[in-house]
Amino acid sequence: MAIKLYGAAASTATLRAKACLAEKELDYEFVSINMGNKEHKSPEFLSRNPFGQVPALEDGDLKLFESRAITQYLAHTYPNNGTNLIIHDPKKMAIVGVWIEVEAQKFDQFGSKLAWELAYKPMFGLTTDDAAVEEYEKKLEQVLDVYESRLSESKYLGGDCFTLADLHHLPVLKYLFGTKAKRLFDARPHVSAWAAEIQSRPAWVKATSA
């Protein structure tokens, strides 16, 4: 099997890569990295990602890290497998590219911090910082207001079809929807419909159950 994905099951970045592999219907070997035992800081793993973070991907002699770089590679390298997650029209793909950046620079900046406070901290027996939650909720709401406007014009963020721009949101959505932060999405009908639709995709269900 040519493709190997090194990651941790609870990692949002790992889930982002797994979601893409599932959408592309690609066979791969998942190598679980025990972060509790600091395996991600071992010399062996650092040879795959010098920053000591999951995931890392190997496809033959190619080694990659950073989940969004991995998904872009898979989408461009295997265009005829599974779901086409990119658009070949340059102008339409440019719009997808904008929303890929929005996810990374705007949504994830606050969504991941909120997920850490509301989902991960309770999981690890840590105390949630209520002041931080309030701050991140307000900032995420501002982002979601922009999403509501965008999604009133098109079914998906990048246009009329599901692309990497939507897929990249799935891991953080998964954790936030198990917390009180779900109400931020529910309060915005277009955002709520979009989030429900992409989370119900068979490939995402498969990625989160594997």
Side-chain angles (χ1 to χ4, degrees):
M1 192 178 295
I3 301 177
K4 287 186 177 181
L5 180 68
Y6 298 80
S11 154
T12 53
T14 298
L15 281 172
R16 190 171 292 116
K18 289 182 74 174
C20 187
L21 286 160
E23 286 285 357
K24 299 306 295 179
E25 299 176 5
L26 293 168
D27 291 329
Y28 67 100
E29 178 186 351
F30 182 67
V31 181
S32 182
I33 301 299
N34 189 328
M35 299 180 74
N37 290 344
K38 304 292 185 184
E39 283 186 22
H40 57 306
K41 303 299 183 182
S42 69
E44 181 184 2
F45 188 79
L46 290 173
S47 71
R48 298 185 178 93
N49 183 345
F51 294 101
Q53 297 173 315
V54 293
L57 180 125
E58 292 179 357
D59 188 2
D61 60 356
L62 177 69
K63 293 183 178 181
L64 290 176
F65 57 93
E66 295 295 345
S67 62
R68 295 172 185 84
I70 289 170
T71 63
Q72 297 239 25
Y73 165 75
L74 294 170
H76 284 88
T77 305
Y78 300 99
N80 298 321
N81 289 71
T83 306
N84 195 354
L85 297 170
I86 55 175
I87 300 175
H88 298 289
D89 178 289
K91 289 185 177 180
K92 291 182 178 179
M93 189 58 205
I95 299 300
V96 173
V98 166
W99 290 97
I100 286 174
E101 287 297 315
V102 169
E103 182 278 327
Q105 305 298 330
K106 309 292 186 185
F107 178 86
D108 191 67
Q109 181 181 0
F110 306 119
S112 284
K113 290 175 180 176
L114 198 53
W116 169 250
E117 291 292 340
L118 294 176
Y120 283 99
K121 276 191 172 181
M123 196 185 306
F124 298 137
L126 303 175
T127 302
T128 296
D129 183 337
D130 292 333
V133 168
E134 183 178 359
E135 176 190 352
Y136 300 144
E137 282 188 343
K138 286 179 180 178
K139 290 179 176 178
L140 183 59
E141 282 193 286
Q142 294 173 357
V143 175
L144 293 180
D145 284 342
V146 176
Y147 278 42
E148 181 68 11
S149 176
R150 170 59 179 168
L151 291 166
S152 70
E153 302 168 353
S154 62
K155 183 176 180 180
Y156 298 101
L157 289 171
D160 295 328
C161 60
F162 179 82
T163 66
L164 290 178
D166 308 289
L167 180 145
H168 286 178
H169 291 78
L170 284 167
V172 171
L173 287 177
K174 166 184 164 61
Y175 283 101
L176 289 182
F177 268 55
T179 74
K180 66 176 185 175
K182 182 177 183 291
R183 76 188 191 285
L184 306 181
F185 299 84
D186 292 342
R188 295 161 176 82
H190 292 97
V191 170
S192 179
W194 164 78
E197 198 275 338
I198 65 173
Q199 289 184 90
S200 68
R201 293 181 66 83
W204 177 238
V205 175
K206 178 182 178 181
T208 53
S209 61

